[in-house]
Amino acid sequence: GIQVEQSPPDLILQEGANSTLRCNFSDSVNNLQWFHQNPWGQLINLFYIPSGTKQNGRLSATTVATERYSLLYISSSQTTDSGVYFCAVRGGADGLTFGKGTHLIIQP
Amino acid sequence: NAGVTQTPKFRILKIGQSMTLQCTQDMNHNYMYWYRQDPGMGLKLIYYSVGAGITDKGEVPNGYNVSRSTTEDFPLRLELAAPSQTSVYFCASSYSIGGGYTFGSGTRLTVV
């Protein structure tokens, strides 16, 4: 099946810093999504982005499908951005395949 | 509009017991999914459904069963619970195969 690798696995930043999270995938995809899992375990869909660039407030994402990677940018980090960020992709007709996530800690 | 609702939120089972995790969505989504998340890991697909009456296995289906008699409901059945099934279970839905997912709040299951 399709492989998803996320980097870095862990990231600790000060409030106000910017960060870039990366997602590499092993095959062509028809669906790519970024999720934030907050410290209470809730999964929130951030972006549906199989290709191109999207922005939502301080967050933006870019997927270069031909080169099989996606980037999630977080600017002016806040403590509420802490949690785990997952990239998930689908290459066929079944559900999304998730990476292992990037654990982000924003310190005040 | 409640989105995706999962019950119960927490459950402790003894080895060999069985239970059903409930999942219901009110968004008229055709596609529904069950995932499990083990500590420090990403989510793994257990089963999915592309519409009422149609289900298919995901990556880790052993020890589980599902049914989809209505568009709204997609229950997950555990038979003969084992310690390896201790995990957090998430149900999700999407409007189309290429659409964004909406997740439920999860069920934390411990098998002792």
Side-chain angles (χ1 to χ4, degrees), chain B residues 3 14 16 18 21 27 31 35 39-40 43 47 49-50 61-62 70 73 79 84 92 94-95 99 104:
Chain B
K14 293 184 178 180
S18 62
L21 281 66
M27 297 173 286
Y31 295 80
Y35 286 88
L43 281 71
Y47 272 95
S49 170
V50 300
N62 291 344
T70 67
D73 299 307
E79 304 281 4
S84 60
S94 65
Y95 180 74

Side-chain angles (χ1 to χ4, degrees), chain B:
Chain B
N1 189 340
V4 178
T5 303
Q6 290 184 236
T7 57
K9 295 191 182 303
F10 304 93
R11 183 72 185 267
I12 297 174
L13 278 182
K14 293 184 178 180
I15 294 172
Q17 287 184 323
S18 62
M19 77 165 292
T20 299
L21 281 66
Q22 301 292 342
C23 175
T24 187
Q25 52 93 9
D26 62 359
M27 297 173 286
N28 200 33
H29 284 175
N30 289 320
Y31 295 80
M32 296 187 75
Y33 315 87
W34 274 106
Y35 286 88
R36 61 176 286 173
Q37 183 180 27
D38 297 325
M41 302 294 288
L43 281 71
K44 293 189 176 181
L45 182 66
I46 306 172
Y47 272 95
Y48 67 101
S49 170
V50 300
I54 306 171
T55 62
D56 209 344
K57 295 178 180 179
E59 182 183 357
V60 290
N62 291 344
Y64 307 95
N65 278 299
V66 294
S67 60
R68 185 93 182 271
S69 57
T70 67
T71 299
E72 295 77 19
D73 299 307
F74 190 39
L76 177 71
R77 178 81 176 168
L78 279 72
E79 304 281 4
L80 297 176
S84 60
Q85 294 178 305
T86 293
S87 190
V88 180
Y89 292 84
F90 288 97
C91 179
S93 71
S94 65
Y95 180 74
S96 67
I97 196 169
Y101 279 29
T102 300
F103 276 88
S105 57
T107 295
R108 185 175 296 275
L109 175 67
T110 302
V111 181
V112 296

Side-chain angles (χ1 to χ4, degrees), chain A residues 26-42:
Chain A
S26 61
D27 207 342
S28 300
V29 299
N30 54 41
N31 190 333
L32 188 148
Q33 299 181 39
W34 283 96
F35 295 90
H36 175 219
Q37 187 169 40
N38 64 25
W40 297 270
Q42 188 176 8

